[in-house]
Amino acid sequence: MSLGLFAAPQPDNEPVRSYAPGTPERARLAAALAQQAGERVEVPLWIGGAQVRTGKTASMIMPHAHAETLGVFHQAGAAEVEQAIAAAQAARPAWAALPWEQRVAVFLKAGALLAGEHRDALNGATMLNQSKTCHQAEIDAACELIDFFHFNVAYLTKLYQEQPRSLPGVAWNRLEYRPLDGFVFAVSPFNFTSIAGNLPTAPAMCGNTVVWKPASTAVLNAHRIMELLHAAGLPPGVINLVPGSGAQVGGPALAHRDLAGVHFTGGTDVFRSMWRTIGENIDRYACYPRVVGETGGKDFVFAHQSADPVSLAQNLLRGAFEYQGQKCSAASRAYIPDNLWPAVREQLGDGVRSIRVGDVRDFSNFMGAVIDGKSYAKLEGAITEARGQVGGDIAEVIGGECDKSVGFFVKPTVIVTNKPDSRTMREELFGPVLTVYVYPAADFEETLTLCDQTSEYALTGAIFARERSAITVATERLRHAAGNFYINDKPTGAVVGQQPFGGSRASGTNDKAGSMLNLLRWLSPRTIKETFTPLRDFRYPYMDGK
């Protein structure tokens, strides 16, 4: 029972720690890395608050030192998925009935714990298991996940406050925001710990219960998040962690009659397959499942002849190569006018040569390794293919050295293409590969059309220009080419509360993580009308007389 109309704490973005030499946070993180690298963790399933071990295990490795294992994780099968669904369904009535301020307090506390004693553990797990540098781990695992917890509470409060009009003295109209009628299936990717944490917790904050399948290459951070939520007081069964293969976990979850929603971030083909399965199963569900997905991207940087070449080149280096290009928002294709190309080419070449690639425990490295051998093979193959086309469709390949002897290292690569519709201008590679098309400066608007039509994706994009008219034209012509559009900035680095994130076309449902728009998908409103004036006669005035 609540005896007050409570206001949520006003959120602010979590400050990013520098980890500069000599700082206390650098020393603490280095110690946490050494400790976790020396441990061998056995990650269980979390079902109904209990830790479950199936005996079917897989290794957790360091991509930058693949001979070193961090431990093993137990994998779920159909039986464990059914147990997790049953646990979620059993926990749902009490969790949904909990006063909203008690429910969101769990996540406010999780944010506070992550800002303090859990920060180094989650950042360290993210660095070691996902090969992120300390900066990339900090802005992701710590800052963005804290922001998701705090801002989502504030957004949910605002939604609850959104109420319909009532006629004084006649009736009272109310709108309640119910959780969905069933369980939510959350499927998270390897590349962002913050997304992995947000996918199950955003629906849970709204009163739903969740079955969560993390990426098999990023199970350690999922385990650390479950430890964090347990420490914050999350009741058993609200979120149930079931690592395992997509078929073994996804099949039973998507076939269950009580599936109420899917919260997904990952590959486009996987998402399409899931949606197809849901469509085929639509007659068996108790309700129509909500399907929310953020998938691939072929994110562009488009430069006008008036652009600042220094800023353009430096933003390309960051936007394309931070976290090895393994961001769904990473710059992977660029359109550069021929008047700027000589200066931009020189800076890109210098930058590619100077970027340090290696073990993320060496804080002087800008890049780590790509996530696994499958990703490495795909990227190496695309780079080798491009080298074989130099002198034809490809003008040159800058950088691109690959070495998997110690870690899955792919050095930053710039492919300069003569064809604007070449494979690496169209297909998502998800690695440190930037393809550049140099266009005649006079063909600005024609090339904008190429940019809009070349790729099936529409996630992020950027325009670089000094001339305002060029910015205006690009903003209009590329309206549907990117759900997050940047002007004179790289197309990465969306911040919760500042740039709600998501794209359309083949990039997803554009339900904007980090905003009220996403939370609305996990709520099922009910209108309540209470009438104060009793009805005394069923007849209407027009019926009087002849």
Side-chain angles (χ1 to χ4, degrees), residues 329 460-464 484-495 499 501:
S329 58
T460 74
I463 175 68
F464 281 77
N484 281 58
F485 190 68
Y486 297 80
I487 299 171
N488 292 317
D489 198 357
K490 61 184 174 63
T492 65
V495 178
Q499 298 96 27
F501 190 80

Side-chain angles (χ1 to χ4, degrees), residues 146-393:
I146 293 168
D147 287 350
F148 274 132
F149 289 150
H150 291 171
F151 278 86
N152 280 347
V153 168
Y155 294 141
L156 185 62
T157 306
K158 288 182 180 180
L159 281 171
Y160 285 157
Q161 291 171 342
E162 187 65 29
Q163 294 294 318
R165 290 181 63 247
S166 298
L167 297 178
V170 177
W172 185 11
N173 297 316
R174 307 190 289 276
L175 199 60
E176 69 171 13
Y177 295 87
R178 305 171 299 180
L180 305 183
D181 190 8
F183 72 94
V184 174
F185 183 42
V187 182
S188 61
F190 77 85
N191 58 332
F192 278 95
T193 299
S194 56
I195 294 174
N198 184 57
L199 292 187
T201 59
M205 192 177 295
C206 297
N208 297 283
T209 52
V210 181
V211 174
W212 174 21
K213 181 208 163 324
S216 294
T217 46
V219 176
L220 185 57
N221 72 37
H223 178 62
R224 298 294 184 214
I225 290 169
M226 290 301 294
E227 290 179 328
L228 170 69
L229 295 173
H230 177 74
L234 186 71
V238 173
I239 296 176
N240 303 274
L241 181 70
V242 284
S245 73
Q248 290 292 312
V249 176
L254 295 178
H256 202 283
R257 73 173 300 278
D258 292 322
L259 177 71
V262 172
H263 204 189
F264 175 90
T265 296
T268 303
D269 289 344
V270 175
F271 187 58
R272 286 172 172 165
S273 176
M274 293 173 69
W275 200 310
R276 189 176 300 113
T277 299
I278 291 169
E280 292 170 350
N281 290 338
I282 201 68
D283 290 337
R284 75 170 62 184
Y285 297 129
C287 59
Y288 296 116
R290 304 282 178 89
V291 184
V292 174
E294 193 262 291
T295 59
K298 192 64 185 174
D299 309 299
F300 63 85
V301 170
F302 199 107
H304 181 256
Q305 62 181 319
S306 68
D308 176 347
V310 176
S311 178
L312 171 62
Q314 298 307 309
N315 275 283
L316 282 170
L317 290 168
R318 278 193 175 180
F321 304 131
E322 284 185 316
Y323 190 43
Q324 299 80 265
Q326 296 175 129
K327 299 183 180 185
C328 44
S329 58
S332 60
R333 56 183 171 125
Y335 300 81
I336 312 296
D338 52 11
N339 69 304
L340 296 182
W341 176 239
V344 173
R345 162 65 180 83
E346 181 179 3
Q347 291 191 60
L348 286 179
D350 290 345
V352 164
R353 285 188 294 272
S354 67
I355 287 175
R356 289 177 56 92
V357 180
D359 194 315
V360 294
R361 289 170 289 186
D362 179 350
F363 284 18
S364 66
N365 286 324
F366 182 80
M367 286 171 50
V370 299
I371 193 64
D372 59 15
K374 182 179 178 181
S375 177
Y376 176 91
K378 179 180 181 180
L379 293 162
E380 184 184 40
I383 295 167
T384 300
E385 178 185 305
R387 290 194 195 282
Q389 296 175 351
V390 172
D393 290 345

Side-chain angles (χ1 to χ4, degrees), residues 408-427:
F408 301 115
F409 294 114
V410 178
K411 290 193 174 181
T413 311
V414 178
I415 298 172
V416 185
T417 183
N418 295 317
K419 291 183 62 179
D421 62 346
S422 61
R423 181 167 83 90
T424 59
M425 288 291 281
R426 292 181 287 106
E427 296 181 12

Side-chain angles (χ1 to χ4, degrees), residues 390-468:
V390 172
D393 290 345
I394 303 299
E396 66 174 324
V397 177
I398 305 168
E401 296 82 6
C402 302
D403 184 353
K404 62 178 181 179
S405 58
V406 175
F408 301 115
F409 294 114
V410 178
K411 290 193 174 181
T413 311
V414 178
I415 298 172
V416 185
T417 183
N418 295 317
K419 291 183 62 179
D421 62 346
S422 61
R423 181 167 83 90
T424 59
M425 288 291 281
R426 292 181 287 106
E427 296 181 12
E428 182 184 43
L429 296 176
F430 219 66
V433 179
L434 171 68
T435 304
V436 173
Y437 174 64
V438 181
Y439 73 92
D443 293 345
F444 174 61
E445 294 201 30
E446 295 88 340
T447 311
L448 285 173
T449 300
L450 280 177
C451 178
D452 181 52
Q453 297 179 354
T454 295
S455 170
E456 64 177 336
Y457 297 106
L459 188 54
T460 74
I463 175 68
F464 281 77
R466 287 190 179 100
E467 290 185 12
R468 200 72 219 177

